[in-house]
Structures are given as structure tokens and as C-alpha cells.
Amino acid sequence: MSGAAAAGARLLVVLLGVLATLALAGPAQAHVGGEVAGSDFHGRVTSVQPAVPGVSVRVLQFGDALEVVNTTGTELTVPGYSDEPYLRIGPDGVWRNAHSPATTINLDRYGRVSLPEDADPRAEPEWVQVSTEPQYTWHDHRTHWMSEQQLPPAVAADPTRAHTVFDWTVPMQHGDTAVTVRGELTWSPPPSTALTWGLHLALAAVVAAAGLLARSPRPLGGAMVLGGAAALWHAVGTPEPPVTVSSHAAAVVSALLPAVTAALVAALGLVAARRGRGVMAGLCAVVLGWLLLVQGLPDVDVLWSAHVATGGPGLLARVAVAVLVAGGAGLVVGGLAAARRFREPDRARPGPEPQPVG
């Protein structure tokens, strides 16, 4: 490799390292709070009666959390599990009763907590402000299945078909109006494990072969384009963070930054591959594969879950994660192989001129 080419390769490695560091400066996963991206359970609100303009209620994370937004000028109250005062959501923010057992129980998804001595549903409420915004998200255990280890009885009896686990109700009060929020929790069978892993191993092998066996770096460049597109789609399709996330804009930016960086590295790799610069293309493939793995591994649970947290079609979300994980692994292997296979052989140095005989 010539001196100029070697210097260019070193510069590229430095540039890609800086880009990778920037991409990983925020959370590795796009799903805010580290929540799962896939689940066999699915929860949804079926009705809010009566409907109140300015009040919205939805379930998040497949029913694991309940989000309430009240933009009206009237306070909305939510009782705890013993019908004690629990939440007040209104124009002056959110207030939570410190004596309500629900205040402690709802801090954990499965309620695995010890109640403090002053937790008493019959005690006079002690209101503590927990937000200045009229919106709140919490683990309401009326909306989801509470066991981490055991399936619902109907599901355990027949896990080959979908089930309605239960219908749920959460009462609320908007001023003088009683509001009833109803919903349902369902369960669906996950995809076939053998088929899922077979497809992903095949994808990883095909991408790796682009660097291991191809006669030119162009197939590796095509694989990098696919990886960059998957990274962008995965970021765009990730559900918008809950409105109650303290830094909403920062959460969105941290989700997009790794994808934009991956797309930039894929573009650099494609240019190198088209120009026949195998070493450059291989380096780009290794860095891109690492970036894809970092972006996809936190969401790998979508590969074996019935439902996917996505703002777009579920099938495309699964394909994107498959490319990120299996394709990313293939790019690391194929990129390392390409960087070695396409090195320019050292040119033989000219020897001394033969002396005439005689």
C-alpha cells in the first residue's frame, strides 16, 4: 500500500472512531427507559366513558404502563387499589398521595416492594408534587399480567392460539364527572423459534460471504447500504417517547443519532467499494457492523415476540432488527476478511542489474 493510501486509511479509521463515539454518547437503545421492544402480551384502551375533550388515556409497553394527559382546566383524580386518593392530575401538575399504598407498589412493574410504615389507605392524604406538567405515566397493576415467571392459566393450557387474558377497568374522576377507562389485555403465540433463528443465521452467513468470498468489494458495499437503510428505518419506526419523559427532544435525538451515523458510514463504505478500495470498504464494514449491533441488540427481543413496539408495520420492524443484528454480525466478519484479502501486495523491489558475463 502506498504512503498516501496508508495515510488515508489511518485517517478514515480515526474519523469512523469519532463518529462511533458520538453515536454511542447517548442511550444505545432507542426505547426510552430501557423498556422491551417486543412482547407476547398486548394491552389497549377500548373506551373512555364519558369521553372528556382534553383528557387522553393510553397504555404503553404492551400494557405495562398507563399514561394520562389532562390539558383541561379541571383536575382529574385517580384512586388507588383500595379506592384511596392516589393521583391528582391538573393545571398545576401532578400530585401523588404519599400515604397511598399504590404510590410504592406502582414503582415496580411487578409490585415487588415493601410498603413503608406510613402506607395506609385510610390515612389523611399527604400530597406531594411529582410533576409540574398535567401528565403522568405509571405502572397501574390493573392493566397488565403481574407474574414474571408464570403464564395466565388459559395461555398455559393452550399456548398455540391467542387469548384474551382479562378485561380491565380504571376509575377516574374529572371534577364532578365520574370517568371509567376500560381496556383489555391479550396474549398471542410467538413466532417459530427454529424458523426465526434459521433465517437470521442464513442472513449473517450471506453478508459475511460478501467479504469472505466475493472477488471484489462491491457486494460488501451493497450489504452496507442495506444495513444503513435498516438503521434509518429502525430509528424512524421507533415509537415516539412518552410525553412524560423529562427530556422529550433529547430522547428523540439520542434515538436518531446512531442511525444517522450508521447511514454515513454505509455511504463512505459504498463509495470505497465502488472504487475498488477493498481495505477501505472492509474497515467501513467492520465499524458499520459494530454500530448496527449496538443499535439492534437492545431490541433483539422482537425476534421471538408476538408483538413489536413500532410506529410502522410490525413486519418491517422485525426485518430491520434482523438486518441490524444478523447483518451487523456478518459485516464485522466480512469486513475483517475483506480488509485482509484486498490488501495490495507489496511490490517487489528492483534488484541489482545483472552483470555481463565475460
Side-chain angles (χ1 to χ4, degrees), residues 1-253:
M1 182 181 292
S2 67
R10 288 192 293 269
L11 179 61
L12 178 62
V13 171
V14 172
L15 174 61
L16 295 180
V18 172
L19 291 174
T21 302
L22 291 175
L24 301 179
Q29 66 268 35
H31 296 275
V32 177
E35 300 292 351
V36 296
S39 174
D40 297 333
F41 289 96
H42 181 64
R44 69 186 185 98
V45 173
T46 56
S47 68
V48 179
Q49 298 177 336
V52 179
V55 174
S56 64
V57 184
R58 63 171 179 160
V59 293
L60 304 173
Q61 288 298 315
F62 312 105
D64 286 3
L66 194 66
E67 179 189 77
V68 174
V69 179
N70 176 24
T71 58
T72 71
T74 303
E75 192 171 72
L76 178 79
T77 59
V78 182
Y81 304 120
S82 298
D83 205 33
E84 79 279 9
Y86 169 48
L87 290 174
R88 293 164 40 201
I89 307 172
D92 60 345
V94 179
W95 298 76
R96 192 171 60 191
N97 179 13
H99 294 310
S100 169
T103 293
T104 303
I105 295 173
N106 291 350
L107 294 178
D108 183 80
R109 162 65 177 81
Y110 298 100
R112 299 164 297 193
V113 295
S114 298
L115 291 178
E117 294 182 357
D118 60 351
D120 184 357
R122 296 164 297 181
E124 186 71 19
E126 179 184 340
W127 296 107
V128 177
Q129 188 171 25
V130 294
S131 174
T132 58
E133 300 294 328
Q135 53 205 26
Y136 195 60
T137 301
W138 72 98
H139 292 296
D140 196 300
H141 301 314
R142 290 165 283 209
T143 69
H144 56 244
W145 182 248
M146 287 295 292
S147 176
E148 186 178 12
Q149 304 296 331
Q150 295 181 337
L151 291 172
V155 174
D158 185 6
T160 62
R161 65 183 184 89
H163 297 271
T164 297
V165 180
F166 54 71
D167 297 317
W168 52 263
T169 301
V170 176
M172 300 181 185
Q173 188 81 20
H174 185 257
D176 296 329
T177 303
V179 178
T180 301
V181 179
R182 291 185 172 87
E184 66 176 5
L185 181 70
T186 59
W187 184 93
S188 299
S192 167
T193 302
L195 178 61
T196 298
W197 284 109
L199 291 174
H200 291 85
L201 288 174
L203 175 60
V206 169
V207 174
L212 286 165
L213 304 175
R215 295 183 177 181
S216 78
R218 287 178 177 269
L220 194 61
M224 284 188 277
V225 171
L226 178 63
L232 289 175
W233 176 261
H234 177 265
V236 172
T238 297
E240 187 177 346
V243 296
T244 46
V245 171
S246 58
S247 183
H248 189 270
V252 173
V253 171

Side-chain angles (χ1 to χ4, degrees), residues 354-358:
Q355 299 296 323
V357 179

Side-chain angles (χ1 to χ4, degrees), residues 323-351:
V323 173
L324 294 177
V325 177
L331 282 172
V332 171
V333 174
L336 289 172
R340 182 175 182 178
R341 289 177 60 232
F342 293 115
R343 282 185 301 182
E344 297 179 16
D346 291 334
R347 296 177 180 178
R349 296 180 179 178

